[in-house]
Amino acid sequence: MAYTTIDDPTIYFNTKLYTGTGSSNALTGVGFQPDWVWIKQRSGTENHNIFDSVRTATKRISSNRTNAEDTQAQQLTAFGADGFTVGTDDGANKSSSTYVAWNWKAGGSASSNSNGSTTTSVSASTTSGFSIATYTGTGSSATIGHGLSSVPQMIIVKRRDSADGWFIYHHSIGNGKYLRLETTDTEASSSNLWGGTDPTSSVFTVNNNSTNGSSRTFVTYCFAEKKGYSKFGSYTGNNNTDGAFVYTGFKPAWVMMKATTASEHWNLHDNKRDPINVCDAGLKPNENNAEEDADRLDFVSNGFKHRSSSGGYNSSNTFIY
């Protein structure tokens, strides 16, 4: 398999830390104009709030909730050339609260994609292997163009117009199973969710009400693997503080993991909240809890090394990351 090597990953992904002001604030220093911004209050229990340039600013979905997309006029109010602007809402800018924002660059303004049987509106970076797409469901088997020109290793689908879960395809568990981002559930089986078909370099398949219900609207985030930038795989925990080592081939800046064979939280770390080892500033995408403080793992030059026997990180179970 051929890979594109990314020499400077920070032009496609960067983490921004900030302290809320309670008034409109244009945040800079991201290094690019982001297309996907995921904001979480660190010091309190506000929801995870997710915005993207395809759905446009102010349109919020939350990874810890099944709620439909809503309009939050005072959370993320604009995408900027070097960051984004937040308004007065506590979910993104409560005075004196601390926040983290994870920022990804896709392809800028969306364009129409007719590679699949359903036309999508797509912003894609074929270099970094990340795309955002919106589409309307047909109620039957359909293919969805993702714009990456390479095979996605992970796909996230969320219904927008009404409440439903966050459904995740990951190549390590295959096209007959899925995980849900908003729950602690183990992997579940479905012959229809992904149509029992692996994604290709141009499309992925959907055939289920939660990924393609008739006249329902959806957003999908697709990720292909890129050498030196992204890695999607699985590992088996050893239930020891001298924990499992996971090889990525580069030093991670952001890691998210989930036990597939046990009911455990999703867990997420980054290199800005944890600039030195041991990484202890954990957040859980499936809940609104404030940032925890517990030694969990090390970011090393070629992967990450577990330093905990915690069930959500390194128990004797299989995990995806």
Side-chain angles (χ1 to χ4, degrees):
M1 178 178 179
Y3 289 96
T4 298
T5 299
I6 296 176
D7 294 327
D8 184 6
T10 63
I11 65 175
Y12 295 100
F13 171 81
N14 210 350
T15 298
K16 172 71 177 177
L17 306 181
Y18 66 96
T19 300
T21 64
S23 58
S24 182
N25 190 9
L27 296 159
T28 58
V30 170
F32 52 85
Q33 180 163 324
D35 292 300
W36 192 30
V37 180
W38 178 343
I39 298 171
K40 176 67 179 84
Q41 185 188 40
R42 303 169 62 192
S43 53
T45 57
E46 292 291 333
N47 292 311
H48 291 260
N49 296 311
I50 295 174
F51 305 86
D52 64 68
S53 62
V54 178
R55 294 180 300 116
T56 70
T58 76
K59 303 299 183 183
R60 187 269 303 266
I61 47 180
S62 298
S63 67
N64 57 292
R65 305 188 306 164
T66 60
N67 297 40
E69 174 185 285
D70 60 14
T71 299
Q72 293 292 319
Q74 292 298 324
Q75 287 193 5
L76 187 146
T77 60
F79 297 96
D82 188 30
F84 55 93
T85 300
V86 289
T88 60
D89 189 89
D90 288 356
N93 196 28
K94 182 179 181 180
S95 179
S96 301
S97 284
T98 55
Y99 294 84
V100 58
W102 301 296
N103 301 270
W104 285 261
K105 181 177 176 60
S109 298
S111 58
S112 180
N113 181 300
S114 56
N115 287 339
S117 61
T118 294
T119 298
T120 56
S121 183
V122 179
S123 173
S125 169
T126 56
T127 302
S128 68
F130 171 61
S131 71
I132 305 161
T134 57
Y135 65 94
T136 300
T138 65
S140 58
S141 181
T143 52
I144 306 299
H146 52 69
L148 292 179
S149 300
S150 51
V151 178
Q153 303 294 288
M154 184 171 176
I155 299 167
I156 304 172
V157 174
K158 175 69 178 80
R159 185 179 177 185
R160 302 168 59 194
D161 61 301
S162 189
D164 208 338
W166 291 73
F167 291 89
I168 294 181
Y169 163 87
H170 192 285
H171 76 102
S172 295
I173 60 175
N175 63 48
K177 295 182 178 180
Y178 65 90
L179 290 162
R180 289 180 61 163
L181 186 59
E182 82 282 6
T183 76
T184 61
D185 294 352
T186 62
E187 64 185 22
S189 297
S190 171
S191 59
N192 288 327
L193 200 71
W194 313 116
T197 304
D198 288 337
T200 73
S201 60
S202 58
V203 300
F204 65 94
T205 302
V206 288
N207 187 21
N208 178 280
N209 276 337
S210 292
T211 54
N212 195 42
S214 179
S215 301
R216 297 177 179 182
T217 58
F218 298 88
V219 62
T220 180
Y221 305 106
C222 296
F223 304 84
E225 194 168 283
K226 298 295 178 179
K227 187 176 181 180
Y229 176 74
S230 60
K231 183 74 174 176
F232 304 86
S234 65
Y235 66 91
T236 301
N238 66 10
N239 200 34
N240 195 297
T241 54
D242 182 12
F245 168 70
V246 182
Y247 176 81
T248 63
F250 55 89
K251 188 172 186 177
W254 188 92
V255 174
M256 184 170 74
M257 67 204 74
K258 171 72 175 79
T260 63
T261 53
S263 180
E264 297 285 356
H265 291 290
W266 292 83
N267 287 288
L268 195 164
H269 290 263
D270 64 70
N271 66 347
K272 295 295 177 64
R273 292 177 303 125
D274 280 314
I276 59 173
N277 293 323
V278 175
C279 299
D280 56 10
L283 285 166
K284 293 175 168 49
N286 59 284
E287 65 177 21
N288 66 347
N289 286 16
E291 185 176 274
E292 68 174 9
D293 182 7
D295 291 351
R296 296 303 189 195
L297 56 111
D298 292 343
F299 287 168
V300 297
S301 63
N302 59 352
F304 56 99
K305 166 75 173 176
H306 285 282
R307 298 298 184 188
S308 166
S309 59
S310 170
Y313 290 82
N314 189 43
S315 55
S316 299
N317 288 290
T318 301
F319 294 76
I320 59 98
Y321 64 90

